[in-house]
Amino acid sequence: MGGTVSVDEGVHVVVVGGGFGGIAAGNQLKSYKIPFTLIDVKDAFHHNPGALRASVESGFAKKTFIPFKETFGENFKQGRVIDIELEEQAVVLESGEVVHFSHLILGTGSSGPFPGKFDEPVTMETAIQMYEDLVEKIRAAPRIVVVGGGSAGVEMAAEVITDYPAKEVTLVHSKIPLADDQLLPSVRQGLKEILLGKGVQLQLGQKVTNLRDLILNETQPDMRILTDKGLEITADLVICCTGIKVNSSAYSRAFHNQLAENGALLVNEHLQISGMENVYAIGDCADIKEPKMAYHAGLHAAVAVENIVRSLSKKSLKIYKPGSLTMLLSMGRDNGIGQLYGYHVGKFVVVQAKSKDLLVWKSWKEMGQTAPP
């Protein structure tokens, strides 16, 4: 992060979305002393890599929510952005309030089912209680099915079986490869072996056909889960880890000509939205050919803020270059596997780097606050 930048009176950056990219952008703008407003629908940042641990370990959820106000003060505004007026250079909130900008950074992220994602506009205390309630439901259910074998699904299944090795845990995934099909074959195979070794039953290459009829995240005896291969599984709790979608509602009207098929924003090498000099997209809502990860969102934020700084002083803009696939998968607090800069990394490295505490300390540090014990 750099020092103070000389800015004109009319400079005001609006950051939409308080995920990993949003808080990184906010902190960098703060360090440059550039006027900004960070807008998010929630009152707290959610460290969602810890969401699955918070689903099985009582007391962990409070470590995954960090209040925005304590970090950003008057630069934070709680609200839902429902539209962007490009001619007026303003974002419109659901409340009717209008916030003007000279530069705009869109970091709206993606949404998905609870517990892997948390998108409800409720208080931090309510959110924490929702995870604590799920801890009790998982504890009470002898047979659990996790639907979806992406990174969230495999980590969810591992968290449950690690804390409750006697439970019957089944992972159903529509594809054969687990987590991400771009991972090295040795990583994918290692992942499979860890899950099987812990006792997870894997049903791969099968899609659940009655997901809409199932009650999710609630203990209910003898639920029937059906697949397109004719398999029937009986369970007492179903957790869904599929259906991640880009949050595009804030900008879909304003940038309808700059949207990729999945709703992400088309950007150039400087992370500017196509055809726009003062509007940037970062994180999951930027159409960049790389895995959607918190780490990448932080890198995007650094480039977007640096380019705002450079544009104010009429300097050439920085280019963002997507890196090689990096993914660390926590398989419960005692195991893990992953890929770092194209190389297979094993249990020792992943447990030390991620599995033990799921990097919650890093977010508290970035937010400049002290984590609860």
Side-chain angles (χ1 to χ4, degrees), residues 106-129:
L106 294 168
T108 54
S110 55
S111 59
F114 178 82
K117 291 276 191 177
F118 192 87
D119 309 303
E120 300 299 317
V122 297
T123 64
M124 185 173 84
E125 290 75 19
T126 301
I128 291 168
Q129 190 56 51

Side-chain angles (χ1 to χ4, degrees), residues 334-352:
D334 61 354
N335 212 330
I337 194 169
Q339 188 167 317
L340 201 57
Y341 306 117
Y343 294 95
H344 180 143
V345 289
K347 174 180 174 178
F348 179 78
V349 172
V350 180
V351 167
Q352 295 304 315

Side-chain angles (χ1 to χ4, degrees), residues 121-142:
V122 297
T123 64
M124 185 173 84
E125 290 75 19
T126 301
I128 291 168
Q129 190 56 51
M130 287 174 69
Y131 280 98
E132 292 295 336
D133 291 345
L134 183 58
V135 169
E136 293 304 317
K137 290 165 187 172
I138 288 174
R139 186 176 291 153

Side-chain angles (χ1 to χ4, degrees), residues 133-172:
D133 291 345
L134 183 58
V135 169
E136 293 304 317
K137 290 165 187 172
I138 288 174
R139 186 176 291 153
R143 298 164 298 182
I144 296 172
V145 166
V146 177
V147 180
S151 57
V154 296
E155 290 190 338
M156 184 76 256
E159 290 289 349
V160 175
I161 202 74
T162 298
D163 279 20
Y164 300 103
K167 288 189 188 296
E168 187 180 295
V169 179
T170 305
L171 177 67
V172 184

